[in-house]
Amino acid sequence: MTEKTRPPTAPAAKPRAKAEPAPGFGPGRIAGATLIILAITGVALLLIELTRFFMLVFAAVVLGAIFDAIADWIHRKTRIGRGIALALSVAGIVAIFAGAFMLFGSQLASEVDTIRQKIPAALQGVEAFLDRYGLGEQVRELAAVGGDDISRLASQAGGYALAAGSGIADFVLVLVAAIFLAGDPATYRRGLLLLLPQRAEETASLAIGDAARGLKGWMLGQAVSSLVVAALTWAGLAALGVPAAGGLGLIAGLLDIIPMVGPIIAGVPAVLLAFTVSPMTALWTLLLFLAIQQLQGNFLQPMIQKQAVDVPPAVLLFAVVAAGILFGFLGVLLAAPLTVVVYVLVQRIYVKTLLGKDIKIAGKD
């Protein structure tokens, strides 16, 4: 083969560049990871410290929703300005509570003092009744076993009551904030939506609307339920001759706001005071509370759920327990509306938007 016909030789392959080693886990990355962990921990601790603040904000939202609902009703019925209707709603609620305190405050205070004085005698009567049937020793043993837990619960309840009694500044803060929220709710709604990504604004707007309707419906139904429970308890205990029937009726109406647990707590002092009259009166008192509880569970509670949202009873019960553990006394009081809001948001955001399933819109048939 001649020099001219020899095929050209292929160019020599260039040596492959050595792969650069992955950056090591050096001091810079360690410092960055440490700062991220510290920042997350700090934010978590800050949120834990601000739990009471968040509950006060939610209480202001609930009270603002009450003012807003009443102001809307006054505006629709009278066609007066929105500001005047809001002022009338706030003044009306304050006047109702002030008038009730002036008319019945001294009587209720006397009855509450009667409850406090008669509870020890009632406990002695229960003990004597159990001893008569040979059950006293077993009950005392059970009481001794659970004595520490009861004492701890009583001390916590006392702390809750002290915190509630010293919370005048918190109440004023919540009241003023609620008035501002009810005065122009659209502004705060727009501000909240501006903080979200644009693709999430529509879903968030629908979720806020669902939560507002659910809260207003819950408040309407709960107000009716509390009034009915208080009136029936008052009338029934008065007919049975139980001391301090008015005070016990008021306690039952106020505690009706706590799902599942409230009626049980309200029934304990009533049954104990009934023992000061007779064991048979105590039995009839127990039956009275059971009948009112059945009325509340089978008629009043479905009415609340129809106006707001159908939250399963077990969810409400666990929500009360969880709210009490996390937020204390204030959490227990706000457990029902908080559960309604969370339940509605989960339905709208998770079930409807993410899963694409049909849901029942809060406050609508």
Side-chain angles (χ1 to χ4, degrees), residues 102 107 135 257 278 300 348 351:
M102 292 176 61
Q107 178 184 355
L135 300 175
I257 197 174
S278 69
L300 298 178
R348 169 62 67 179
V351 178

Side-chain angles (χ1 to χ4, degrees), residues 189 192-193 196 203-213 345 348:
R189 178 172 180 159
L192 180 60
L193 292 177
L196 301 175
T203 300
S205 179
L206 293 173
I208 293 174
D210 292 345
R213 285 191 298 271
L345 294 181
R348 169 62 67 179

Side-chain angles (χ1 to χ4, degrees), residues 219-237:
M219 288 181 294
L220 176 61
Q222 186 61 59
V224 175
S225 176
S226 295
L227 290 174
V228 172
V229 168
L232 291 178
T233 303
W234 191 332
L237 293 178

Side-chain angles (χ1 to χ4, degrees), residues 248 251-252 255 258-271 289 320 332:
L248 293 171
I251 292 173
L255 290 178
I258 303 176
M260 317 299 291
V261 181
I264 299 175
I265 300 175
V268 172
V271 174
F289 271 85
V320 172
V332 172

